[in-house]
Structures are given as C-alpha cells and as structure tokens.
Amino acid sequence: MTTSLLIFGLALLLAGGTALVSGASRVAIQFGVPPLVIGLTILAFGTSSPELVVNLVGAVRNETTLAFGNIAGSNLANLGLILGVSALARPVGIEGSIVRRELPLLLLGTVALLIMMLDRPLLGEPALLSRPDALLLLLLFGVFVYVTIIDLLDRRQDALIANVLEMEDNLPPRPAVPLPGAIGLIIGGIVGLALGGHLTIVHGADLAESLGVSPVIIGMLIVGVGTSLPELVTSVIAALRRESDLCVGNLVGSNIFNGLFILPVSALVRPLPIPPGGVLDIFMSLLFAAVIIPVFLFGRARMDRKIGFAFILVYVGYMSQRALG
C-alpha cells in the first residue's frame, strides 16, 4: 500500500506540474507575453516544480534527508542517466554556448555547495546546509539568471532563442482556452502538486523505514528519478529532433535550478543536515558535469553512443553501490 501511494504521489506531482505549466502558459499567451519569455520562465520553472514541492514539504515535515536525496538523485539522474539515454537514442551535439555559459555556472555552483558541506573536516562540526549558506547559493542563482538574460538579449542568434522560436513556429495552432479554464488548470496543478508532495514525502519515509534503509536512498532512487521524468521526456525528444542544445541545456539548467534554487530554498525553511554519503553524491554530479567539457573539446562537440553508454554504466554502478552500501 505504501509503495502504491508513493507512486500515486509521484504521478500527482507530474500531472500537477504539467497542468500548472499548461495553465500558466495559456494565461501568459492571453496577456500577450512573448513565447520566448514563456519558454525561459514558465516552462523552465514549471518542469522543476515537482522537485521544489517535494523539498518544501520535506523541509516543513522535517524529512530533510529524503529532501536532500531528492535533489542529489535528480541531479545524478539528469546527467548520468537521462543524458546517457538521450545519447543512446541519437548522438548528442554539445553547443558552445552551453559550455561557455551554463556549464561553468553549474560547476561553480556545485563547487560552492560542496565547500559548504565540508563543515566536519573544516570546522569539526556536523555537516549542515545553513540559512547563510542558502542565501549565498541564492545569490549565485541570481547571478546565473542575470547573466543568462543579458547574454540572450545581446546575442539574437543564440541557438536557444532560435530553437525556441522555431519550435513555436512549427507548432500547430492551439484552440483558444477561455481564461477561467486556464486558471482552473493552474489551481488544479497547485492542488495536485501539494497533494502529490505530501504523499511522496510521507510514504517515501514510510517505505524507507519498512525497508530498513536511509530515506536518502529512497529520495535518490525513487523520488529523484521520478521527479526527473519531465526532463527525461523533454531531453530524449530534443535529441531525436536533433535539437541537442535544448537537450543538454535542459539538463544542465535543471541541475542549476535544483542546486542553486530548490536546495537553498528548502534550507531557508529548515537547515538541512547533510546525510552520510551526501558529499560524495554531490561530488559525483560534479564529475558528470565536468566530463562534458573534455567530451566537447576532444569529441568534436558531440557525445556519441559509446560515451552515453559509459555515462549510464557509471550511474547504475554508483547508484547500486549507494543502495547496497
């Protein structure tokens, strides 16, 4: 019963996030918001809404270990599993703009997060992501948002802009949805997210207790992967459509959002103790991101199926070790 309710909670999270994005996009269109702005704001934030809700509910209910596992598992799944699966579906090209802009910010933010987690070796205290740490990470996220917006506005031929506009032009005309219907989608999405987040946290913790494992393992293996399903669908479709900058950019951007926004927002609600193995989890996500750079430099800016398969093998091996360890 616990497992069924956990799966139902994850399904509600995904359905709620989809409804929220759909309703908010339609409201924005009715008020004349440009498609590019919608793509860079509502869609970007909306696809990460399941992770955000799970972490906020976890912080409120003091299930901080499961909440941390959700973010660590989601970031590992994004670059280890989803990017690898996308490369298996079709070799993924890596745009220079991703390596020049998003990837360095992801590496910088992840290194900063790692340093904040080294309380025990540096201070002799239990590792804790405190509220001051959270504020610093949010400042880094603000820098990321500012740099991204300025860069996109200055570079009209940016690949991300071109692909978003091209996708909008190729979409079939959608029937007009009355404003009350769009608002209903938003309300339904919020309700679905809230209920799904509650069920996921409560029954995820119950499942961990019944299995005799740490909640961080459930957070990484089930909740983290489950809340990353929107990124999986988006990235595989982008890879198949040869829109590789959207594929890699979606995953790198999601990891930035997870580490520099969702995690610190959770720590503002309640400081997050770092569970055993947490530093290694974040370090592994840093390694996955760092490997993209030599792949870009020496692989002709292309991640082929062999590298994608290697990413999956490393991810599966590491997660197996975490589950058994």
Side-chain angles (χ1 to χ4, degrees):
M1 189 65 173
T2 296
T3 304
S4 299
L5 288 172
L6 174 58
I7 294 173
F8 180 59
L10 288 170
L12 276 178
L13 282 171
L14 300 178
T18 301
L20 178 62
V21 167
S22 179
S25 299
R26 290 170 180 178
V27 169
I29 289 171
Q30 294 224 5
F31 282 96
V33 178
L36 179 60
V37 175
I38 296 172
L40 295 177
T41 55
I42 295 172
L43 295 180
F45 281 74
T47 55
S48 292
S49 56
E51 289 96 330
L52 177 60
V53 171
V54 165
N55 270 54
L56 288 178
V57 173
V60 170
R61 294 183 58 88
N62 201 24
E63 293 288 351
T64 53
T65 304
L66 196 150
F68 179 89
N70 172 42
I71 294 302
S74 179
N75 280 9
L76 285 167
N78 281 344
L79 294 185
L81 177 64
I82 298 175
L83 184 57
V85 169
S86 300
L88 280 182
R90 185 186 295 274
V92 173
I94 305 171
E95 294 291 333
S97 60
I98 301 296
V99 176
R100 183 180 60 82
R101 185 179 61 221
E102 280 89 353
L103 198 55
L105 286 166
L106 173 60
L107 294 173
L108 173 63
T110 307
V111 169
L113 176 59
L114 272 174
I115 293 173
M116 292 173 182
M117 295 166 60
L118 297 178
D119 292 336
R120 188 170 296 279
L122 295 178
L123 303 175
E125 300 175 355
L128 180 75
L129 190 64
S130 64
R131 289 188 174 96
D133 293 337
L135 291 174
L136 288 174
L137 291 175
L138 287 173
L139 284 175
L140 283 177
F141 182 72
V143 171
F144 163 69
V145 172
Y146 174 79
V147 169
T148 300
I149 291 175
I150 294 300
D151 202 24
L152 290 177
L153 291 177
D154 287 344
R155 300 172 68 246
R156 299 297 179 181
Q157 300 305 313
D158 186 273
L160 178 58
I161 290 181
N163 273 319
V164 170
L165 295 179
E166 180 185 352
M167 289 172 66
E168 184 68 23
D169 291 339
N170 292 336
L171 286 175
R174 289 182 291 184
V177 176
L179 189 59
I183 294 175
L185 281 173
I186 294 174
I187 295 173
I190 293 173
V191 171
L193 284 168
L195 181 57
H198 172 77
L199 290 173
T200 300
I201 286 295
V202 170
H203 295 287
D206 290 345
L207 181 61
E209 184 177 353
S210 65
L211 294 176
V213 300
S214 170
V216 72
I217 301 301
I218 300 300
M220 292 177 66
L221 290 176
I222 298 178
V223 180
V225 175
T227 55
S228 292
L229 288 178
E231 284 85 358
L232 174 61
V233 174
T234 302
S235 298
V236 171
I237 291 175
L240 291 174
R241 294 182 60 177
R242 300 180 186 275
E243 292 163 345
S244 53
D245 56 332
L246 288 181
C247 171
V248 181
N250 172 54
L251 297 174
V252 171
S254 178
N255 277 23
I256 291 174
F257 192 77
N258 287 342
L260 298 185
F261 184 79
I262 295 178
L263 199 61
V265 165
S266 307
L268 285 179
V269 175
R270 187 187 301 272
L272 300 178
I274 306 303
V279 173
L280 184 57
D281 295 334
I282 300 301
F283 181 71
M284 281 299 299
S285 70
L286 176 67
L287 284 183
F288 275 123
V291 168
I292 295 176
I293 295 178
V295 169
F296 173 81
L297 294 176
F298 304 112
R300 298 180 180 179
R302 184 171 174 266
M303 178 178 284
D304 59 24
R305 290 185 171 92
K306 291 180 181 178
I307 299 176
F309 185 64
F311 267 51
I312 295 172
L313 278 182
V314 173
Y315 170 80
V316 171
Y318 179 74
M319 296 302 286
S320 300
Q321 180 271 330
R322 286 290 278 134
L324 298 174

